[in-house]
Amino acid sequence: MTKTQRFSTPTFKKITLIGYFSLLFFMPLWLLYLNPSQGLSPILSLCLFTVPLLFPLKGLLAGNPYTYAWSSFVVMIYFLHSLTTLWVSPADIVWASLELIFATMMFIGGSYYAKYRGQELGLSIRKAKDKA
């Protein structure tokens, strides 16, 4: 019995890229203009919350399934930041909720894109069993 895929692989790619670019533009906007941090300098805020997003840029644009897979680890920074902010700062509920939505889009879309695109390309992380 095979399961059918609900969304196409290009749809997962679009979901991931929407979440990714939303985070890339939203984080500096939030942390520098909408609600600047009292404890962090603007340069440190940019470094902590924007630079990690730049690492997977080339691979995401190229559609590399391995990049989509490991970028899920990078997006956990934003997922945890949003949940922490929701917990400790009720005044930032709207901004933290947007960050959580964008991070979730990137995570779920990227995970499924990596899975299905990897299958389409015949990629696998499983080791082949020895025939002996």
Side-chain angles (χ1 to χ4, degrees):
M1 184 172 154
T2 60
K3 285 186 162 185
T4 59
Q5 192 175 320
R6 287 191 176 206
F7 296 106
S8 68
T9 306
T11 301
F12 285 121
K13 182 178 181 180
K14 288 175 190 171
I15 292 169
T16 306
L17 291 176
I18 290 169
Y20 172 77
F21 283 111
S22 296
L23 277 175
L24 190 61
F25 293 112
F26 173 71
M27 292 308 293
L29 178 68
W30 174 22
L31 298 169
L32 297 177
Y33 298 107
L34 297 174
N35 191 6
S37 173
Q38 303 299 330
L40 292 177
S41 72
I43 292 174
L44 185 58
S45 290
L46 278 177
C47 289
L48 288 175
F49 292 103
T50 305
V51 171
L53 285 171
L54 297 176
F55 293 124
L57 177 60
K58 181 180 177 186
L60 290 176
L61 292 176
N64 184 338
Y66 287 116
T67 305
Y68 278 74
W70 67 257
S71 69
S72 295
F73 294 111
V74 173
V75 81
M76 285 297 109
I77 297 168
Y78 305 92
F79 190 78
L80 293 173
H81 177 260
S82 64
L83 291 176
T84 303
T85 303
L86 284 170
W87 184 260
V88 301
S89 182
D92 289 332
I93 191 168
V94 172
W95 313 128
S97 296
L98 284 172
E99 180 184 17
L100 182 61
I101 290 166
F102 299 149
T104 301
M105 287 174 65
M106 185 178 166
F107 179 79
I108 292 173
S111 297
Y112 280 106
Y113 177 82
K115 174 183 177 180
Y116 293 128
R117 185 65 182 141
Q119 288 174 351
E120 290 169 2
L121 295 173
L123 304 174
S124 176
I125 58 171
R126 297 185 185 129
K127 292 184 179 180
K129 292 184 180 181
D130 293 333
K131 293 182 179 182

